[in-house]
Amino acid sequence: GGSTTSTEATAEDPLVLRFAHNLNDRHVTSQALTAFAEDVEERSDGRITVRMYGNGQLGSETTVLGQLNQGIVDMTRVSAPGLANYDPGYHAFGLPYVFASEEEYYQVMDSPEMAEFFRSTVDQGFVGLTYYTSGARSFYTADTPVRTPEDLRGLKVRVQDMRSQTELMAELGAAPIVMALGDTYTSLQTGLIDGAESNETVLTQSAHGEVAKSFSLTEHTRIPDMLVISSDAWQRLSPQDQELLVDAARRSTEDHKVAWAQSIEEAVTEAEAMGVEFVTDVDLEAFREATRPVVERYVAEHPEVAELLSVIEAAGE
Amino acid sequence: MTTHDRIARVRGVLGAVLLATAGTLLVLMTFLVLYQVFTRYVLGAPAAFTEELVRYALIWTSFVSAAYAFLHRKHMALVLVRDRLPGRARRGFLLGADVLVLLFAVVVLVVGGTMLALAARHDYSALLGISRGLVYAIAPVSGLAIALAQVLNIWEDVTGEPVVEAEGTD
Amino acid sequence: MEALLAVAVLFGVFFVLLFAGVPISVSLGIASFLTALVFLSFEESTYVVGQQMNVGIESFSLLAVPLFIFAGNIMNNGGIARRLVDLALVLAGRVPGALAHTNVLGNMLFGSLSGSAVAAAAAIGGTLHKRQKEEGYDPAFSTAVNIASASTGLLIPPTTAAIVYSTVAGGVSISALFMAGYVPGILMGVVVMVVAWLYARRRMAGATSPRVGLGEGLRVFLRAVPSLLLVIVVVGGIVAGVFTATEGAAAAVLYCLVLSLIYRSLSWADLKQVVTSTVVATGVVMFLISASSAMSWVMAYTGIPTAITDALLSTADSKAIILLLMVAILLVVGTFMDITPAILIFTPIFLPIATELGMHPVHFGMMLILAMCIGTMTPPVGSVLFVATGVSGVTIEQVVPRLLPYFAGLVVLLLAVTFIPALSLQLPEWLGLLG
Ligand code: NA
Ligand code: NA
């Protein structure tokens, strides 16, 4: 990191923000990040430039967060629960059925209360500028529809490398398997795993629709991506420039919502053409009940989670 | 007991500890991976924890083995220039290289590794709940082992007498 | 500007330390650290180099490297190599220079089990050396043949070179790399056999081995079957998706262990020796990988690969010239650097250029590995050259003139592999491994 402040920066000698993330160039969210970077440069008349390190050049999410914490990179995109090591409140975003619907999800995430929470972690070394949706995650299997938690019992399900996710699976009686997304296709094909969970785009972009023909809309988690800046870089910005960054970030979030909805729609159409059946008559209430203990455990362990859940509840009304 | 004997004994003990640790980890990893295959095809219920455990064990094995290789001067190096130098200069280069390895081990593995381990101590693994701080703690530990190994090697460079190990571990 | 300064510091420090005799891994680590220090504080540089050295080796697929080394070391303990030599002898028996061809075939068969060129040179060349001498073969000739063909096993799977490349290239499919290696690896053996045949036809016309009866041939083959079965179990299992490369490597350890027990070729003392040499090799290779991931990070952070790609693409305008330039650089690098560090250092620099030119990462990997195979046989630093001359007692000065025709033949093969993608890609393509 440097030591210049944004008030000293000029177009000739700009303040450079180093932004690392691990999404590939074609990812919808990666495009939103690029749009954000361009917007910042344009609106600051080149006083602030964002240097992008995409495609995981500087490492995985956790690795880059460590670098952000040290001041080696200034900004990153991270799945919200990844921030829980720094602020346990972020565990809440990995928990099941925190949001009742997509509508409520957007209402809460766009609320002033949430913006305040994003801004509250300066002492923990970072500030959240905005979030990006990554849709609702649901279960998909080779051919078994998942309508009730009973249907999952005994199945081997690939989950993300996150403790809340393995606990969620265990609570549903499934065997959680942590593996790289890249290995999931062959594992589904060979029966090494019975299913996995993600949003609809995985069926087409990772071609899982070729080997998994049943996608059940359990919508058990809505895990946002976070756009964060290190406190160090944040404090080098003048209040006007802080506002400029937040504005650009918010704008990219709004555009991203549209692009995301479109990518989901395309994925569903394409997946249906591949022969994937979307199971919609899921007993959501049963899933909510079955996974309740996970939420309770996190609430008991981390007061910060309880706090954030009440913020979410208040904003959702 | 002369200094030479004491140094030889330290070298022997350090080598034996490093070799036993790395060898055990190596065999353990082999068993875990085989167990993973066994549970998948024979039991039909794949063990999920092995992958995570083995990934961490590999870091441990690598650093401990690296320390063992430093103790025995087995790391790949380009010695063709050094070997053509006259005796005194050659010893100077050898000493310089050994000092640099020592400094590197202290600055990057001991100091950097400690920073890393401390920063990751509340980061728990998904399946076994192992603190990653514990995983990365091997870096400073083997950093210290490498530093000790280099002190022994430097003693050898300076005195010019190769130390015969108390016990044949190589 | 930033990238230029970084290039100067990174490579300047690295080469100075390298030629001063500092271990390659530590040279890489120090060069990376000092380059980071130009742009970051002491604390930040210390943290990030330490971080990369840890996370760079936190990989399940990398475990295949020590496990294949483990399996190879068990295999080297006798029994298996001798049976393969017997088989090769039957196969090559009636050709002029039969024992030389036996050596090549033996190296290829051994290579299809093990990924170590040095082990092949010692085990196969060592087994055949005495016999070749007895039958009047020029020791410099037979040593040259052994040297030129020992590294076929770095291309013919299983091979740790492909696994290391896969990791540093950002997860290129190991199965695809394994399959891609067959054609270049076998061609490498063929080139050596053709050159040896041309030599033997003129100078040692009578040097064929006695005819082997069908019954004897069958018996020799059956004795080698358990060893050859390993290829089907391990490589077949990995390519068919029955297990990952790491699991295949663990299976290879078990298989070699069981086979050695059956052959009674492994005592407790041998086993201890096997574990010790595996620990040493693991420490050396993994520490190199660890340090090179710090280097990769520093290069990405300072924008070195992009700068080099841009510079090269703007100066040389033809794809062929850039490829020839890369081949030339890799051959020079191969003279003084071993295969693993060369793969670790040059993949992050050259792969972006290659992909920019439309080269498939699997194809580039084959070109890189073959270039480095050639490097193992050249002075001043050639691991295979050293081991093979050590085994046969021929001096390097004696063997180098004899090596030149093989070197020339293999460079022609390298150009063919570089400019004909199908040599690398057709086989994995047919098997649907290129995605
Ligand atoms: Na091989
Ligand atoms: Na060489």
Side-chain angles (χ1 to χ4, degrees):
Chain A
S3 54
T4 32
T5 62
S6 71
T7 42
E8 299 160 1
T10 61
E12 288 72 41
D13 184 21
L15 177 76
V16 180
L17 295 173
R18 295 183 189 256
F19 189 147
H21 67 83
N22 67 346
L23 301 174
N24 69 52
D25 303 337
R26 284 154 301 147
H27 197 284
V28 179
T29 307
S30 170
Q31 286 159 4
L33 301 177
T34 309
F36 159 80
E38 285 166 1
D39 201 17
V40 167
E41 281 189 44
E42 196 179 308
R43 280 146 49 85
S44 68
D45 297 318
R47 285 183 305 107
I48 305 174
T49 63
V50 180
R51 177 152 175 197
M52 269 299 175
Y53 298 92
N55 293 307
Q57 283 176 67
L58 298 189
S60 68
E61 284 185 20
T62 336
T63 307
V64 167
L65 268 182
Q67 294 164 17
L68 181 116
N69 198 247
Q70 297 289 328
I72 297 163
V73 302
D74 303 307
M75 302 185 72
T76 189
R77 182 242 37 138
V78 55
S79 184
L83 292 166
N85 292 328
Y86 302 92
D87 185 299
Y90 275 97
H91 275 306
F93 294 108
L95 298 177
Y97 299 105
V98 169
F99 306 98
S101 63
E102 183 178 68
E103 199 187 2
E104 188 190 298
Y105 170 76
Y106 280 134
Q107 187 184 329
V108 171
M109 297 307 287
D110 292 332
S111 68
E113 292 90 334
M114 192 53 80
E116 196 182 320
F117 170 70
F118 288 169
R119 229 68 90 238
S120 70
T121 51
V122 182
D123 290 341
Q124 280 84 300
F126 69 94
V127 169
L129 292 181
T130 189
Y131 75 96
Y132 298 100
T133 183
S134 67
R137 300 181 73 91
S138 294
F139 291 105
Y140 57 99
T141 62
D143 51 10
T144 321
V146 179
R147 293 191 175 86
T148 65
E150 277 308 304
D151 297 332
L152 271 177
R153 200 156 291 279
L155 296 193
K156 290 161 277 181
V157 180
R158 182 264 168 183
V159 293
Q160 288 173 291
D161 194 352
M162 254 184 249
R163 203 151 168 70
S164 56
Q165 304 309 296
T166 55
E167 289 181 6
L168 169 65
M169 253 354 82
E171 212 59 66
L172 289 168
I177 309 281
V178 175
M179 64 166 70
L181 182 65
D183 295 333
T184 310
Y185 180 98
T186 16
S187 303
L188 279 165
Q189 195 175 30
T190 55
L192 182 57
I193 53 172
D194 301 304
E197 53 89 62
S198 187
N199 65 63
E200 294 85 341
T201 58
V202 80
L203 297 169
T204 55
Q205 282 167 20
S206 306
H208 291 184
E210 290 172 8
V211 286
K213 299 298 184 191
S214 176
F215 191 99
S216 307
L217 290 150
T218 51
E219 304 192 325
H220 46 276
T221 50
R222 293 175 191 276
I223 306 179
D225 279 350
M226 289 298 301
L227 174 59
V228 299
I229 183 168
S230 74
S231 299
D232 189 40
W234 179 246
Q235 281 155 351
R236 269 186 281 135
L237 298 169
S238 68
Q240 292 83 347
D241 285 336
Q242 289 180 346
E243 203 173 314
L244 185 152
L245 245 68
V246 172
D247 279 353
R250 287 298 317 170
R251 207 184 307 264
S252 69
T253 297
E254 288 307 317
D255 292 344
H256 176 261
K257 279 183 194 172
V258 180
W260 183 269
Q262 199 186 333
S263 78
I264 293 287
E265 206 174 298
E266 284 167 10
V268 170
T269 316
E270 205 182 312
E272 278 172 342
M274 293 163 101
V276 178
E277 298 241 20
F278 287 87
V279 179
T280 52
D281 54 335
V282 173
D283 188 352
L284 293 181
E285 204 40 55
F287 273 99
R288 193 190 311 268
E289 271 315 303
T291 56
R292 193 75 213 153
V294 182
V295 182
E296 279 160 7
R297 196 153 54 234
Y298 273 86
V299 166
E301 247 175 72
H302 306 286
E304 298 90 342
V305 171
E307 227 168 278
L308 189 66
L309 286 179
S310 61
V311 168
I312 291 174
E313 207 171 317
E317 271 160 14
Chain B
M1 198 184 224
T2 64
T3 316
H4 186 276
D5 292 338
R6 275 193 211 97
I7 296 237
R9 176 173 287 186
V10 173
R11 185 174 271 276
V13 170
L14 180 62
V17 169
L18 291 173
L19 180 62
T21 311
T24 308
L25 283 166
L26 185 72
V27 172
L28 180 75
M29 289 191 299
T30 313
F31 271 115
L32 283 172
V33 175
L34 288 172
Y35 176 73
Q36 177 172 312
V37 179
F38 176 78
T39 54
R40 183 159 83 235
Y41 287 111
V42 183
L43 304 184
F49 73 94
T50 47
E51 204 255 35
E52 192 175 278
L53 197 58
V54 156
R55 221 162 1 102
Y56 297 155
L58 179 61
I59 300 183
W60 279 57
T61 314
S62 301
F63 279 115
V64 175
S65 304
Y68 183 76
F70 275 113
L71 182 70
H72 292 266
R73 299 182 184 274
K74 297 277 191 188
H75 282 271
M76 258 184 237
L78 191 64
V79 292
L80 86 153
V81 176
R82 190 167 75 198
D83 283 354
R84 274 165 182 68
L85 294 173
R88 246 184 107 82
R90 193 169 67 220
R91 261 174 65 185
F93 270 73
L94 192 61
L95 179 65
D98 278 333
V99 171
L100 282 177
V101 174
L102 172 65
L103 287 177
F104 181 73
V106 171
V107 171
V108 169
L109 295 181
V110 179
V111 178
T114 305
M115 285 166 75
L116 180 70
L118 287 177
R121 68 192 185 281
H122 296 307
D123 185 359
Y124 300 98
S125 74
L127 283 171
L128 297 170
I130 299 171
S131 158
R132 298 171 80 84
L134 182 70
V135 176
Y136 298 145
I138 197 62
V141 170
S142 12
L144 288 173
I146 295 171
L148 178 55
Q150 287 307 111
V151 169
L152 301 176
N153 288 342
I154 288 169
W155 190 83
E156 217 175 81
D157 300 340
V158 173
T159 60
E161 31 184 327
V163 178
V164 183
E165 272 171 42
E167 277 184 42
T169 48
D170 191 8
Chain C
M1 266 325 286
E2 187 174 304
L4 212 62
L5 178 61
V7 167
V9 177
L10 187 67
F11 292 108
V13 173
F14 174 67
F15 281 110
V16 166
L17 295 181
L18 179 73
F19 283 98
V22 178
I24 304 179
S25 50
V26 176
S27 305
L28 276 175
I30 293 178
S32 308
F33 177 73
L34 292 180
T35 312
L37 210 51
V38 175
F39 304 94
L40 300 168
S41 72
F42 182 82
E43 208 180 323
E44 289 164 352
S45 307
T46 305
Y47 172 86
V48 83
V49 175
Q51 181 198 45
Q52 291 305 308
M53 287 193 67
N54 276 275
V55 300
I57 52 173
E58 185 181 339
S59 149
F60 183 72
S61 43
L62 262 185
L63 174 58
V65 172
L67 292 185
F68 273 126
I69 294 174
F70 197 4
N73 282 337
I74 299 172
M75 220 181 292
N76 297 345
N77 248 275
I80 297 175
R82 208 183 57 244
R83 284 166 174 81
L84 293 178
V85 168
D86 289 345
L87 177 63
L89 211 52
V90 170
L91 293 174
R94 306 296 299 162
V95 187
L99 287 179
H101 300 299
T102 303
N103 193 346
V104 178
L105 281 177
N107 278 339
M108 288 163 73
L109 287 170
F110 190 85
S112 72
L113 303 177
S114 148
S116 169
V118 173
I124 307 295
T127 312
L128 280 167
H129 171 68
K130 216 176 128 207
R131 200 156 159 186
Q132 282 173 301
K133 211 167 170 184
E134 281 165 9
E135 295 194 14
Y137 281 58
D138 172 8
F141 163 73
S142 38
T143 307
V145 170
N146 187 30
I147 291 171
S149 60
S151 51
T152 44
L154 299 182
L155 286 159
I156 299 172
T159 144
T160 51
I163 297 164
V164 170
Y165 171 74
S166 153
T167 317
V168 67
V172 176
S173 155
I174 291 176
S175 307
L177 287 167
F178 273 13
M179 284 299 110
Y182 271 118
V183 173
I186 291 171
L187 284 179
M188 195 177 167
V190 169
V191 166
V192 176
M193 286 168 86
V194 167
V195 177
W197 179 75
L198 288 173
Y199 173 90
R201 198 183 45 156
R202 280 189 293 118
R203 307 220 189 157
M204 39 199 289
T208 59
S209 298
R211 181 184 289 278
V212 176
L214 189 64
E216 170 68 8
L218 200 64
R219 206 181 60 83
V220 168
F221 176 72
L222 287 178
R223 266 163 52 91
V225 161
S227 309
L228 295 175
L229 217 53
L230 180 65
V231 181
I232 297 167
V233 173
V234 174
V235 179
I238 293 169
V239 172
V242 177
F243 39 55
T244 61
T246 306
E247 292 169 344
V253 172
L254 184 66
Y255 194 100
C256 292
L257 208 54
V258 171
L259 218 53
S260 298
L261 289 179
I262 295 171
Y263 293 163
R264 292 168 200 273
S265 60
L266 198 66
S267 66
W268 272 112
D270 292 338
L271 194 61
K272 196 185 166 205
Q273 186 51 49
V274 162
V275 171
T276 306
S277 38
T278 308
V279 164
V280 168
T282 300
V284 172
V285 173
M286 294 305 287
F287 205 65
L288 262 170
I289 296 177
S290 178
S292 76
S293 51
M295 185 202 64
S296 296
W297 187 91
V298 169
M299 292 209 294
Y301 191 72
T302 54
I304 291 178
T306 325
I308 293 182
T309 308
D310 291 351
L312 206 61
L313 292 180
S314 64
T315 45
D317 47 359
S318 116
K319 176 178 170 177
I321 290 176
I322 298 175
L323 286 178
L324 284 174
L325 200 63
M326 281 204 273
V327 167
I329 294 175
L330 290 175
L331 284 174
V332 171
V333 167
T335 61
F336 63 87
M337 201 178 275
D338 225 317
I339 179 156
T340 308
I343 292 176
L344 291 168
I345 294 165
F346 287 93
T347 303
I349 299 171
F350 282 173
L351 182 58
I353 303 173
T355 36
E356 192 70 31
L357 293 173
M359 212 172 179
H360 195 286
V362 170
H363 178 200
F364 174 75
M366 289 307 117
M367 168 189 148
L368 176 63
I369 295 173
L370 177 55
M372 291 307 136
C373 286
I374 297 175
T376 60
M377 60 189 265
T378 64
V381 180
S383 48
V384 172
L385 177 73
F386 294 161
V387 169
T389 48
V391 165
S392 69
V394 174
T395 67
I396 291 176
E397 286 73 19
Q398 286 170 317
V399 83
V400 163
R402 285 295 164 74
L403 264 173
L404 286 175
Y406 300 95
F407 182 80
L410 292 177
V411 169
V412 171
L413 176 65
L414 175 59
L415 292 174
V417 166
T418 305
F419 289 99
I420 309 172
L423 292 180
S424 312
L425 299 181
Q426 199 58 60
L427 197 54
E429 170 100 65
W430 276 336
L431 293 164
L433 295 169
L434 293 183

